[in-house]
Amino acid sequence: MAARSYLLDTSILSHLVRQPQGPVAARIAEVGEDYVFTSVIVACELRYGAAKRGSRKLTRQVEAILGAITILPLEAGADRHYAAIRTALEGRGTPIGANDMLIAAQARAIGAVCVTANVAEFRRVPALRVENWLA
């Protein structure tokens, strides 16, 4: 991964689906598409949301966005980060959602900044760099 790569979470890609020419698109153009990724976990959440809504238009928009961004699989290394994150958060009594823990673990494992609108939750993760491109 690049020294400054970015892993976009579900809240950020959802915004991009709703506003394809909005602030997220502008920021991707600014940092360079080659340094921006998302997680297979995010792709799962977006595709589930579109399927649940049963909207062909939404499904087309989701597929267009996912087709334009590199989707990273979970790879070895994320598991160790997940275990450390979950242990730390549960030990402090401040757990976050299971999918968010996986996304955070993946971002830490690849050394990427986690881009999210859910800053309050992700900032609880030790040693995770977090940015909000909607703020």
Side-chain angles (χ1 to χ4, degrees):
M1 288 295 129
R4 192 71 160 170
S5 58
Y6 301 89
L7 187 74
L8 308 186
D9 91 330
T10 309
S11 64
I12 296 297
L13 278 188
S14 292
H15 191 277
L16 187 60
V17 166
R18 290 188 307 277
Q19 294 184 30
Q21 304 302 317
V24 175
R27 192 64 200 268
I28 291 170
E30 181 183 316
V31 302
E33 290 180 14
D34 292 343
Y35 302 103
V36 178
F37 311 96
T38 196
S39 171
V40 67
I41 304 300
V42 172
C44 289
E45 289 184 325
L46 289 176
R47 287 186 170 120
Y48 166 71
K52 185 176 178 184
R53 294 261 317 263
S55 165
R56 284 186 218 182
K57 180 182 178 189
L58 178 59
T59 298
R60 280 192 306 273
Q61 290 170 293
V62 165
E63 291 303 326
I65 294 301
L66 292 177
I69 189 167
T70 300
I71 301 171
L72 300 176
L74 279 178
E75 295 183 5
D79 55 336
R80 286 183 170 77
H81 285 275
Y82 175 87
I85 290 167
R86 186 166 180 180
T87 300
L89 294 178
E90 286 182 357
R92 290 188 295 202
T94 59
I96 63 176
N99 285 348
D100 288 345
M101 271 192 278
L102 288 168
I103 294 164
Q106 186 170 19
R108 271 191 17 181
I110 64 173
V113 175
C114 182
V115 181
T116 182
N118 192 0
V119 173
E121 186 158 301
F122 280 95
R123 282 242 164 96
R124 294 198 305 256
V125 176
L128 179 67
R129 294 178 295 162
V130 178
E131 289 184 13
N132 182 356
W133 289 358
L134 300 175

